[in-house]
Amino acid sequence: MKKRYLLLLLSVFGISASAQKSIDQRVSELLSKMTLEEKVGQLVQYSGFEYATGPQNSNSATVLDEIKKGKVGSMLNVMGAEETRSFQKLALQSRLKIPLLFGQDVIHGYRTTFPVNLGQAASWDLGLIEKSERIAATEASAYGIHWTFAPMVDIARDPRWGRVMEGSGEDTYLGTQIGVARIKGFQGKGLGSLDAVMACAKHFAAYGAAVGGRDYNSVDMSLRQLNETYLPPFKAVAEAGAATFMNSFNDINGIPATANKYILRNLLKDQWNYKGFVVSDWGSIGEMIAHGYAKDKTEAAEKAILAGSDMDMESHVYMTELPKLVKEGKVDVKFIDDAARRILTKKFEMGLFDDPFRFSNEKRQKEQLNNQENRKFGREFGSKSMVLLKNQNNILPLSKSTKTIALIGPFGKETTANHGFWSVAFKDDNQRIITQFDGIKNQLDKHSTLLYAKGCNADDQDRSMFAEAVETAKKADVVIMTLGEGHAMSGEAKSRSNLHFSGVQEELLKEIAKTGKPIVLMVNAGRPLVFDWAADNIPAIVYTWWLGTEAGNSIADVLFGTVNPAGKLPMTFPRTEGQIPVYYNHYNTGRPAKNPTDRNYVSAYIDLDNTPKFPFGYGLSYTQFKYSDMTLNSSDLKGNQTLNISVNLSNTGSYDGEEVVQLYIRDLFGKVVRPVKELKGFQKIFLKKGESRNINFKLTPEDLKFFDDELNYDWESGEFDIMIGTNSQDVQTKRINWVK
Ligand code: GLC
């Protein structure tokens, strides 16, 4: 009896003791049992074979064999409860049965897709953004995914770069707020929750500053600019608990990000004390040979691991080179141990050692497919991401009893396109998309008619459909044109030198305009486009980005006024490509133009107005908002006081609506030149028609800090302009003095 009692006690304490053992202790114990090859194996990631998101050169049989031998730590692009389960079973055949991590690009939704991320940023709605990632994480984790390669927090000022579609635009403050909201959404109640996925802050760093907006191109800037503009979103998401980082393809000041000790070791892992792990972007370790920074795979592996790249995505370099480098004494095993520890820690935190199959659950997966709640949210998020750029004579909103409407353009009956770039390729998704045509038709009264003509293709010189489109327009009371760029014309490796509507779309628009019919133009895009003629000649324009599964319903909700649009541009829209880069928070220069047409020895183009087509933060509403009575608690502040700013906002129009009230500052003089404006706050306010409310902001010296030429981060005494308004140009200003 005594022995049995003792055994029972031991088993209870034994279990509770192991449960009490910290993850750190469990990782140390595991590491102590691992061979060098098994440790390096944890640093290896391959893509699945059905669906590659980069130039793939892995042989499936070899990969499966290496998984069984414990030489693979993670797979990407393996999706679904069944497939992840089968891969996990292979991993559990290895000597130490270390489970795999499954990663995927869950960028703007999963089975329910949401607006492309630049469109989401146009909502300026942190709550909606966080909720969209919460839903995406719930759907993805139900499909066996542990880890999303998101949020992309690259600040980008150049719309020629196709990847602006997956970011939050040009502003550091807005991009930082949105990045943190995404981390909260993805990781939810914390790693280990069944509906949480590991986030991945990418692409570290400054990928959006590629010269010429050409993807994968070099980045060269002062460390001051790097710290002032491009790094703050990364630091904020690291502090918000981002589980992982992904480095970028570009070199920064001559050193590829993949082996850039300054950002990976000095900043991220030392100064920021980051405990997660860094995965290389697809093949970027091996690409250091092409960069001319490593003479071969061996040197590439050595430089990357020493700099702080922990996991090798699809370079096939770490597995072949690191054991050799350690045995030759060129790489201390402590670097391998550190990387393996970081990766194993995440696997423990995700509960994968307790149950490697906990996320591969067919029942949960089934529940998540076509989830009506998620679709309802997607419909709302889509309409809240749209930006009303023009509405002359209040053509919009349209009446649902309009007798005949013509929808004309290449995107009206598109299905897949509405997903935008970076939507996971599930074969049956197209049947679930609400097309623009169906969305509009579903809301029209039964006595109304919706005509459709494609008019042209998205990107060729075929004009053969023009005549039919013109005839269709002539039969209508109002024409809705749906133009822009194809969904796969923005995204990775999609830089464009010409940002006009592709193909013959603008010619078609001009032909339809000749009919004299009232026209509403919808612009579908993943980036700012250049459409000067349309902006000057078409009375109503709505930027619809690519809105995801519920696109057609979101669009109809706005066109018919069920939803009053409130989107604001997260990027400046240039008048022409030659004006790029053009962004709101620029420096003043010694010869600023005095007005848009000033050409007299000033910093301006002789052939173009010195203003953007549409400014950062711009967006209209079906109602009108009036700003008045801007007041400050003081215009002379000292030290750590707080500046209280108040403005009265009135809805003076005839629709209830939302307004994004924006707060900017200007530091008039500094140790280094300062931007003419900096966004320091925003509030999205709903007002019923006729309603007024005081909107209040606070600023402290923390909001005035900047990096000087010696990388000191501090503020200085001096004069500041405080500005509040509806966009970055249309503001009310008050000047203050603030001394330290
Ligand atoms: C791609 C992208 C990166 C993505 C990764 C995995 O090349 O640059 O954003 O997460 O590979 O698909």
Side-chain angles (χ1 to χ4, degrees):
M1 177 55 183
K2 201 174 172 213
K3 189 167 177 286
R4 280 182 60 199
Y5 184 62
L6 193 64
L7 278 174
L8 180 66
L9 272 178
L10 264 179
S11 70
V12 169
F13 279 116
I15 294 169
S16 65
S18 73
Q20 297 315 314
K21 237 183 246 168
S22 74
I23 284 182
D24 211 33
Q25 287 166 323
R26 294 173 75 183
V27 171
S28 299
E29 271 176 22
L30 180 54
L31 273 173
S32 66
K33 296 176 195 156
M34 294 170 76
T35 65
L36 174 61
E37 279 67 18
E38 286 168 335
K39 291 176 186 174
V40 172
Q42 290 305 304
L43 283 46
V44 173
Q45 179 185 61
Y46 294 122
S47 173
F49 322 114
E50 297 295 312
Y51 160 71
T53 46
Q56 187 167 29
N57 55 15
S58 26
N59 168 306
S60 54
T62 315
V63 169
L64 297 177
D65 185 49
E66 300 215 331
I67 291 174
K68 281 189 272 191
K69 289 175 183 163
K71 293 188 170 183
V72 182
S74 170
M75 293 294 291
L76 72 145
N77 298 330
V78 170
M79 46 197 158
E82 190 184 337
E83 196 180 11
T84 52
R85 180 178 294 276
S86 68
F87 274 79
Q88 201 66 291
K89 280 180 182 168
L90 291 181
L92 296 184
Q93 292 177 26
S94 61
R95 185 176 76 89
L96 292 169
K97 305 184 183 334
I98 299 174
L100 292 167
L101 275 174
F102 294 113
Q104 186 141 47
D105 295 282
V106 184
I107 306 298
H108 48 100
Y110 194 60
R111 297 311 308 272
T112 310
T113 52
F114 301 127
V116 292
N117 303 74
L118 194 62
Q120 294 185 21
S123 74
W124 293 55
D125 194 318
L126 301 179
L128 291 179
I129 290 168
E130 180 177 340
K131 182 168 180 184
S132 76
E133 304 302 22
R134 192 82 295 281
I135 291 172
T138 306
E139 292 190 354
S141 57
Y143 275 73
I145 303 304
H146 304 138
W147 176 23
T148 176
F149 303 126
M152 184 272 218
V153 294
D154 299 306
I155 298 301
R157 294 167 160 169
D158 191 330
R160 292 172 294 179
W161 188 50
R163 302 198 75 165
V164 295
M165 59 71 59
E166 54 189 289
S168 299
E170 71 191 44
D171 184 68
T172 302
Y173 179 86
L174 179 62
T176 297
Q177 304 298 315
I178 290 176
V180 170
R182 294 193 189 284
I183 298 296
K184 290 177 184 167
F186 283 130
Q187 300 185 173
K189 298 188 288 295
L191 301 190
S193 317
L194 258 186
D195 63 359
V197 293
M198 292 172 18
C200 180
K202 73 182 187 184
H203 303 79
F204 197 52
Y207 184 25
V211 171
R214 207 173 74 233
D215 210 353
Y216 316 119
N217 203 3
S218 296
V219 169
D220 213 287
M221 65 175 71
S222 67
L223 292 185
R224 195 184 72 75
Q225 184 66 253
L226 184 64
N227 280 278
E228 176 95 355
T229 303
Y230 296 91
L231 293 179
F234 286 101
K235 187 165 189 287
V237 297
E239 287 163 356
T244 65
F245 267 51
M246 180 187 289
N247 58 39
S248 54
F249 290 115
N250 55 285
D251 54 271
I252 306 169
N253 301 337
I255 297 178
T258 309
N260 195 302
K261 279 189 185 142
Y262 172 69
I263 61 167
L264 290 170
R265 192 71 67 192
N266 305 4
L267 283 182
L268 180 65
K269 293 184 174 179
D270 293 351
Q271 273 186 45
W272 302 354
N273 192 27
Y274 183 66
K275 296 300 179 196
F277 70 85
V278 179
V279 63
S280 72
D281 200 344
W282 188 296
S284 65
I285 296 175
E287 288 174 7
M288 288 199 284
I289 300 167
H291 272 287
Y293 188 67
K295 63 178 183 304
D296 55 25
K297 285 188 164 189
T298 309
E299 189 176 23
E302 179 181 356
K303 289 189 168 182
I305 195 72
L306 293 180
S309 281
D310 300 303
M311 185 180 276
D312 170 7
M313 180 195 292
E314 274 290 343
S315 272
H316 304 255
V317 166
Y318 273 9
M319 197 65 244
T320 57
E321 307 307 318
L322 286 182
K324 222 172 20 178
L325 284 161
V326 171
K327 286 167 190 156
E328 291 163 3
K330 290 184 180 164
V331 169
D332 188 310
V333 70
K334 71 178 182 183
F335 289 99
I336 312 296
D337 288 347
D338 178 58
R341 172 177 295 280
R342 289 169 183 268
I343 293 163
L344 292 169
T345 299
K346 290 300 165 220
K347 294 186 176 184
F348 275 105
E349 288 174 2
M350 290 296 287
L352 293 174
F353 280 96
D354 302 325
D355 175 3
F357 304 103
R358 61 196 299 259
F359 290 89
S360 304
N361 177 317
E362 281 79 355
K363 181 173 172 299
R364 275 185 72 227
Q365 178 173 302
K366 206 166 164 34
E367 286 159 6
Q368 285 304 326
L369 180 59
N370 224 6
N371 178 309
Q372 291 310 308
E373 272 309 300
N374 296 353
R375 293 186 68 121
K376 183 163 166 276
F377 171 80
R379 176 171 179 162
E380 177 198 2
F381 199 11
S383 57
K384 297 285 179 77
S385 301
M386 291 162 65
V387 184
L388 178 62
L389 296 177
K390 198 175 171 189
N391 191 20
Q392 239 162 19
N393 316 320
N394 294 321
I395 292 184
L396 289 172
L398 300 175
S399 161
K400 291 181 180 179
S401 57
T402 304
K403 192 165 175 311
T404 306
I405 294 178
L407 176 64
I408 298 175
F411 305 119
K413 292 197 171 180
E414 266 293 324
T415 53
T416 318
N418 293 291
H419 283 312
F421 199 87
W422 283 125
S423 62
V424 177
F426 280 89
K427 295 175 183 48
D428 63 346
D429 276 352
N430 301 338
Q431 291 108 35
R432 302 187 298 118
I433 287 266
I434 306 294
T435 67
Q436 296 176 6
F437 181 85
D438 289 342
I440 294 166
K441 182 154 182 56
N442 294 343
Q443 296 205 24
L444 267 180
D445 291 355
K446 55 181 182 301
H447 302 303
S448 300
T449 305
L450 179 62
L451 306 174
Y452 173 70
K454 188 174 184 182
C456 68
N457 297 314
D459 189 16
D460 66 20
Q461 298 302 309
D462 178 0
R463 295 169 180 80
S464 64
M465 296 179 275
F466 277 24
E468 181 211 10
V470 169
E471 287 315 304
T472 304
K474 286 177 178 169
K475 295 172 190 163
D477 301 299
V478 64
V479 176
I480 301 172
M481 295 297 294
T482 173
L483 306 173
E485 64 171 0
H487 74 292
M489 291 180 73
S490 60
E492 183 177 355
K494 306 292 181 187
S495 297
R496 291 180 64 188
S497 64
N498 174 337
L499 296 180
H500 286 69
F501 294 163
S502 46
V504 292
Q505 296 181 68
E506 188 162 275
E507 282 182 51
L508 171 68
L509 178 61
K510 289 177 178 173
E511 289 306 309
I512 300 299
K514 287 176 189 164
T515 67
K517 295 289 180 180
I519 294 176
V520 173
L521 169 62
M522 297 198 295
V523 183
N524 309 274
R527 68 170 105 212
L529 294 180
V530 170
F531 46 100
D532 217 26
W533 186 86
D536 293 342
N537 294 281
I538 302 300
I541 303 175
V542 188
Y543 225 72
T544 56
W545 313 103
W546 288 111
L547 296 173
T549 306
E550 285 284 326
N553 287 334
S554 305
I555 285 170
D557 286 343
V558 165
L559 293 182
F560 291 116
T562 311
V563 174
N564 181 359
K568 300 279 186 179
L569 298 177
M571 269 187 92
T572 300
F573 276 48
R575 291 176 178 280
T576 169
E577 294 84 351
Q579 195 178 23
I580 293 168
V582 54
Y583 47 92
Y584 88 94
N585 49 353
H586 59 83
Y587 300 134
N588 203 32
T589 79
R591 294 198 176 182
K594 297 173 189 57
N595 56 57
T597 55
D598 186 358
R599 303 283 187 276
N600 186 25
Y601 292 101
V602 292
S603 180
Y605 298 99
I606 61 170
D607 55 356
L608 189 73
D609 273 7
N610 195 46
T611 55
K613 194 65 191 173
F614 298 104
F616 173 79
Y618 177 87
L620 302 176
S621 167
Y622 292 151
T623 195
Q624 287 73 46
F625 290 101
K626 179 166 154 272
Y627 288 71
S628 60
D629 309 330
M630 179 179 171
T631 55
L632 309 177
N633 61 329
S634 167
S635 55
D636 274 299
L637 291 102
K638 193 165 169 42
N640 260 335
Q641 289 182 316
T642 297
L643 175 64
N644 296 317
I645 307 137
S646 172
V647 70
N648 185 269
L649 182 72
S650 303
N651 179 344
T652 56
S654 41
Y655 290 90
D656 299 348
E658 290 177 302
E659 167 72 343
V660 179
V661 180
Q662 298 157 47
L663 170 69
Y664 298 89
I665 69 167
R666 180 180 182 181
D667 181 349
L668 289 156
F669 303 96
K671 230 178 127 179
V672 291
V673 293
R674 309 293 302 122
V676 295
K677 274 194 190 80
E678 295 173 78
L679 181 70
K680 290 292 180 183
F682 60 89
Q683 293 181 39
K684 191 165 186 179
I685 306 294
F686 173 80
L687 290 181
K688 287 190 165 305
K689 59 187 177 196
E691 187 184 359
S692 286
R693 194 183 308 162
N694 272 338
I695 313 301
N696 301 297
F697 291 93
K698 290 182 184 306
L699 285 176
T700 70
E702 191 57 35
D703 300 304
L704 311 179
K705 288 183 178 179
F706 61 94
F707 285 91
D708 70 18
D709 54 329
E710 288 156 353
L711 296 187
N712 302 308
Y713 185 63
D714 203 349
W715 69 290
E716 293 176 318
S717 305
E719 288 188 304
F720 297 84
D721 279 345
I722 309 300
M723 297 162 272
I724 281 203
T726 185
N727 64 58
S728 59
Q729 271 179 1
D730 185 0
V731 293
Q732 299 185 26
T733 302
K734 286 199 179 291
R735 186 155 295 182
I736 65 164
N737 201 50
W738 206 324
V739 294
K740 272 197 158 184

